[in-house]
Amino acid sequence: ESLDQGLQKTKEGFLSKIGRAIAGKSTVDTEVLDNLEEALVGADVGVTTTVQIINKIEARVAKDKYLGTSELNNILKEEISSLLVDAPDSGFRDFDTPAGIKPYVIMVVGVNGVGKTTTIGKLAYNYKKAGKSVLLGAADTFRAAAVDQLTVWSERVGVPIVKQQMGSDPGAVAFDAVQSGASKDVDVIIIDTAGRLHNKVYLMDELTKIKRVMKKVLPDAPHEVLLVLDGSTGQNAVEQAKQFTAATEVTSLAITKLDGTAKGGVVLSITNQFKIPVKYIGIGERMEDLQVFDKEAFVDSLFS
Ligand code: GDP
């Protein structure tokens, strides 16, 4: 799916909410701003980010004296873009790995059901397509389904997988995967982990342990800790991001399931609020449905 198609529901929701916010009004006045504030919060942009956007528009209204509601879409787009100028950007565009780092180890974390396994499959597909050799590590050893599903993805994409029996030590799987990848000189190793947020101390310990064990093979691994969030849960995804980033060091974010939801405004909220860049967005279930996130393209698409 294209970005425009993938964001269809969010776009429709967003534009219709803005339309309602200005219905029957010719100028942007306090009432319009109040309605707009409500519309943005309702579109999952989040209170903090919404207030910042409204403040910017308010300042603009004060400066320009008159703002017609017909211009509001463009103004909103400009102000959201300018708000995100300083937001983190992964700089990543073409599934290349950093020079001198091989294997490049990605540890993928996130709560069950958010689309972690699917995202790993999509990443493997994209790296492979970019000419990189890839190996998967099934360190979510608590759910048989997780290992099975990752195995299906490894077959679908055509990349090797390192796994052990269900219930085995996740650290041992991670160790094996990194060792095997290093000895085979693969470019990218992607490690799945269990995501059981209901026990935060446990989760933190487990992720710390997996990292520690990897470092026995490669001292600077993991090079990336990717947190996967389900965009269709809206502001809940923001809460999960807060909890995970408190539990372990996260270096990049993926926001999935944006195709089936009108809550895509959460991407603006997360981009604006976290110091960690959104690196990928998921806009479908197929392996082609992962996009490298580009904040400008995203805002453009929202208003197109
Ligand atoms: P995990 O438990 O976090 O590993 O989640 P899975 O990868 O198994 O995904 C859970 C469900 O979400 C599956 O049915 C996936 O096909 C679906 N899914 C994952 N990513 C996306 C996406 O970007 N869009 C849509 N529509 N579905 C997705």
Side-chain angles (χ1 to χ4, degrees), residues 170-189:
V173 179
F175 183 89
D176 276 2
V178 175
Q179 196 170 50
S180 166
S183 73
K184 292 191 181 107
D185 205 23
V186 307
D187 295 307
V188 183
I189 300 173

Side-chain angles (χ1 to χ4, degrees), residues 138-265:
D140 180 354
T141 58
F142 290 91
R143 295 182 301 159
V147 181
D148 292 348
Q149 242 185 304
L150 201 65
T151 305
V152 169
W153 274 107
S154 84
E155 286 163 2
R156 194 178 288 160
V157 178
V159 296
I161 180 168
V162 167
K163 58 184 172 181
Q164 292 181 6
Q165 286 159 295
M166 196 192 120
S168 56
D169 177 39
V173 179
F175 183 89
D176 276 2
V178 175
Q179 196 170 50
S180 166
S183 73
K184 292 191 181 107
D185 205 23
V186 307
D187 295 307
V188 183
I189 300 173
I190 311 175
I191 311 270
D192 190 17
T193 63
R196 295 173 302 160
L197 198 55
H198 62 268
N199 188 336
K200 198 169 146 197
V201 176
Y202 193 91
L203 178 76
M204 205 181 319
D205 286 351
E206 181 169 305
L207 296 178
T208 305
K209 189 174 164 210
I210 294 176
K211 283 185 188 173
R212 194 172 60 229
V213 171
M214 277 182 203
K215 287 184 194 301
K216 290 186 185 167
V217 189
L218 283 180
D220 56 347
H223 305 98
E224 176 172 346
V225 179
L226 174 68
L227 170 63
V228 181
L229 300 165
D230 179 346
S232 71
T233 63
Q235 290 297 309
N236 281 342
V238 177
E239 275 314 306
Q240 269 180 24
K242 282 184 192 160
Q243 296 186 35
F244 258 93
T245 50
T248 193
E249 193 199 349
V250 172
T251 62
S252 57
L253 304 172
I255 306 179
T256 65
K257 306 191 199 180
L258 291 172
D259 50 308
T261 181
K263 299 186 179 195

Side-chain angles (χ1 to χ4, degrees), residues 13-92:
F14 208 61
L15 296 176
S16 71
K17 282 192 174 74
I18 295 167
R20 278 198 294 274
I22 61 178
K25 293 282 200 169
S26 57
T27 57
V28 178
D29 58 17
T30 318
E31 197 186 333
V32 168
L33 286 173
D34 283 348
N35 291 345
L36 184 62
E37 184 164 353
E38 211 175 294
L40 291 174
V41 172
D44 271 89
V45 175
V47 175
T48 312
T49 303
T50 295
V51 168
Q52 288 174 356
I53 295 168
I54 296 293
N55 286 346
K56 278 163 108 31
I57 296 179
E58 226 163 15
R60 192 151 160 179
V61 171
K63 187 166 141 278
D64 294 359
K65 299 290 182 267
Y66 176 90
L67 277 188
T69 48
S70 59
E71 299 160 67
L72 192 61
N73 265 0
N74 276 338
I75 290 164
L76 196 51
K77 181 178 166 182
E78 280 171 28
E79 296 304 341
I80 291 175
S81 294
S82 84
L83 185 67
L84 296 186
V85 163
D86 295 326
D89 188 320
S90 69
F92 180 85

Side-chain angles (χ1 to χ4, degrees), residues 110-119 122 140 143 146 149 153 192 228 255-260 281-285 289:
V111 172
N112 297 337
V114 294
K116 199 154 37 93
T117 315
T118 308
T119 301
K122 291 169 171 175
D140 180 354
R143 295 182 301 159
Q149 242 185 304
W153 274 107
D192 190 17
V228 181
I255 306 179
T256 65
K257 306 191 199 180
L258 291 172
D259 50 308
I281 53 174
I283 51 170
E285 294 185 277
D289 295 331

